[in-house]
Amino acid sequence: MGFLADALSRVKPSATIVMTQKARDLKAQGRDVISLSVGEPDFDTPEHIKQAAVEAIARGETKYPPVSGIVPLREAIARKFKRENGLDYKPSQTIVGTGGKQVIYNALLATLNPGDEVVIPRPYWVSYPEMVGLCGGTPVFAETTMATNFKLQPEELERAITRKTKWVILNSPSNPSGAAYSHAEMKALTDVLVRHPHVWVLTDDMYEHLVYGDFSFVTPAQVEPALYDRTLTMNGVSKSYAMTGWRIGYAAGPEQLIKAMDFVQGQQTSGAATISQWAAVAALEGPQDHLAEFRAAFQTRRDLVVSMLNQTNGLRCPTPEGAFYVYPSCAELIGKRTESGKVIETDEDFVTELLMAEGVASVHGSAFGLGPNLRISYATSNQLLEEACHRIQRFCGSLR
């Protein structure tokens, strides 16, 4: 009998963390590395949010919080959902976790039994299938293609659902592709879900405010009220408020589910850091001026990167609607050789050789369930992005 749990054999390490660490290691060795592997805004947390945390410390808000979150934050979350999404939730229908990842994990841990299936569109955020596996469920993948800009089509969703399906996870805008669903596109998916009353919907709306042009964000329960009683709507302050290190995610849903998640969290971590929760109150309730600034900066960066990658030998890059990632195909470069003679057999080979040859860190698409692609984060300066794209162009041009 082995010491470690069998469940660990079903889980892979996070490719984004692995590539980011490789980039850090090379930098520590003195290499000039541009890291485009991290899903983290390069902006600082807005000043009024930081000040709210300072004031919370000064008031002595340093004790254990309630497991589900401090009352002012749960009230602010309920107001946010009403104000921005047209969703009516009582504070008792909300929960706060240590980041969105914990919120999702708690929902799965509280609901999955062995044999239960969770439908996950691919490409997917690397953690979804691993969390499902750790919670004893079975991930079932619904396919998307570049031809549909990596958006799940209703017929593919229908095909993936079985009598064992307990959840469908929908992430819009998407990590890794940046794809986001319009009202009509989301309605086509919710029409399918209405026909399967045993299936619950878990939304990951973490990139809600990072959409570009005239695109309007929608979330499933907003589009189809019939799904309200079987939807967990998850969000957080990490991306839109540049608060990744503050570790605050939140969700709202049916009270029975929220109570079950509270029960799990009470025996796991208890409440999220009190000071971070007070900062999150300021994020949701305070000035929102920075959102327009973030969006404008990210849209400029997106357009720069998409343009330069589409001028790169062997890469094809769709224009995403949101988040801060692009997901170009490197299919035309599979089978090519590097100047050192290495054959590029997979997208993982591609990103590894790119890192070693040109010092540009990205993440291979197969880690997100769909390749040969790569995920590039454009959450860094225009200057670094332009230099990184020049290096990518040079590397791709050198392949034979």
Side-chain angles (χ1 to χ4, degrees):
M1 180 183 295
F3 176 67
L4 297 179
D6 292 344
L8 293 184
S9 66
R10 302 193 297 270
V11 178
K12 301 188 292 290
S14 168
T16 55
I17 293 174
V18 170
M19 287 302 295
T20 300
Q21 188 58 49
K22 283 184 179 180
R24 289 194 186 108
D25 292 343
L26 287 174
K27 277 188 175 181
Q29 296 167 21
R31 286 285 305 276
D32 175 18
V33 175
I34 301 174
S35 181
L36 306 182
S37 59
V38 179
E40 180 172 52
D42 58 324
F43 301 110
D44 193 16
T45 304
E47 192 61 36
H48 71 279
I49 299 173
K50 293 191 290 185
Q51 188 57 39
V54 172
E55 292 170 3
I57 294 172
R59 289 196 309 271
E61 305 278 7
T62 56
K63 307 299 183 185
Y64 286 131
V67 172
S68 290
I70 59 174
V71 170
L73 180 52
R74 297 179 78 186
E75 290 174 342
I77 291 165
R79 285 191 291 270
K80 175 263 184 271
F81 280 124
K82 178 63 175 176
R83 179 178 70 246
E84 297 185 350
N85 309 111
L87 293 172
D88 285 306
Y89 290 112
K90 297 178 292 186
S92 59
Q93 290 178 273
T94 69
I95 190 167
V96 179
T98 307
K101 184 180 284 189
Q102 186 186 27
V103 173
I104 297 171
Y105 186 83
N106 286 352
L108 297 175
L109 191 59
T111 58
L112 291 181
N113 293 309
D116 287 344
E117 296 177 350
V118 178
V119 173
I120 304 171
R122 70 168 132 206
Y124 46 71
W125 181 41
V126 293
S127 293
Y128 294 148
E130 312 310 323
M131 287 191 283
V132 170
L134 278 171
C135 292
T138 302
V140 173
F141 301 111
E143 306 302 332
T144 73
T145 66
M146 184 179 283
T148 59
N149 282 338
F150 306 112
K151 297 180 191 181
L152 179 62
Q153 300 302 295
E155 57 272 18
E156 289 296 330
L157 175 57
E158 186 76 61
R159 187 175 295 119
I161 292 173
T162 73
R163 59 181 179 81
K164 296 181 180 180
T165 305
K166 182 160 279 186
W167 288 99
V168 169
I169 298 178
L170 294 176
N171 174 210
S172 174
S174 161
N175 175 5
S177 71
Y181 294 89
S182 68
H183 189 283
E185 290 165 338
M186 186 65 79
K187 184 66 166 63
L189 298 180
T190 59
D191 284 349
V192 174
L193 293 165
V194 167
R195 296 196 294 269
H196 297 278
H198 67 292
V199 177
W200 284 59
V201 186
L202 200 166
T203 80
D204 182 345
D205 297 348
M206 194 63 75
Y207 298 89
E208 170 184 5
H209 293 111
L210 301 180
V211 294
Y212 310 119
D214 58 0
F215 188 90
S216 294
F217 172 84
V218 293
T219 195
Q222 172 188 16
V223 171
E224 179 48 76
L227 294 177
Y228 175 89
D229 289 330
R230 50 187 172 106
T231 297
L232 182 71
T233 303
M234 189 280 287
N235 210 314
V237 296
S238 297
K239 315 298 183 178
S240 300
Y241 297 90
M243 293 177 68
T244 51
W246 298 79
R247 306 309 302 133
I248 295 292
Y250 59 83
E255 203 154 334
Q256 180 184 10
L257 173 60
I258 296 299
K259 286 180 178 178
M261 293 168 64
D262 173 87
F263 177 76
V264 168
Q265 189 163 303
Q267 293 293 5
Q268 189 186 61
T269 60
S270 296
T274 308
I275 296 158
S276 293
Q277 291 195 54
W278 281 105
V281 172
L284 297 181
E285 303 273 77
Q288 306 292 305
D289 306 6
H290 72 282
L291 292 176
E293 297 172 17
F294 283 14
R295 279 194 295 266
F298 281 132
Q299 181 168 340
T300 298
R301 296 171 180 185
R302 178 201 66 173
D303 294 344
L304 167 69
V305 170
V306 169
S307 175
M308 292 190 72
L309 292 182
N310 279 326
Q311 296 172 52
T312 301
N313 206 28
L315 296 184
R316 291 187 298 124
C317 185
T319 302
E321 292 88 354
F324 39 67
Y325 310 106
V326 292
Y327 201 64
S329 168
C330 59
E332 296 174 20
L333 300 174
I334 301 301
K336 303 280 189 180
R337 289 182 182 272
T338 67
E339 290 181 329
S340 64
K342 166 72 176 177
V343 177
I344 304 294
E345 296 180 348
T346 65
D347 52 12
E348 186 170 5
D349 289 342
F350 180 89
V351 299
T352 300
E353 293 302 312
L354 173 63
L355 176 60
M356 299 309 298
E358 293 288 351
V360 176
S362 57
V363 187
H364 50 290
S366 54
F368 304 97
L370 183 65
N373 293 73
L374 59 151
R375 190 195 76 169
I376 290 173
S377 167
Y378 51 85
T380 191
S381 70
N382 289 25
Q383 181 181 359
L384 284 176
L385 290 171
E386 190 167 353
E387 172 60 24
C389 287
H390 281 308
R391 295 185 189 187
I392 293 170
Q393 288 176 340
R394 186 165 61 215
F395 175 72
C396 292
S398 73
L399 299 177
R400 296 290 181 264

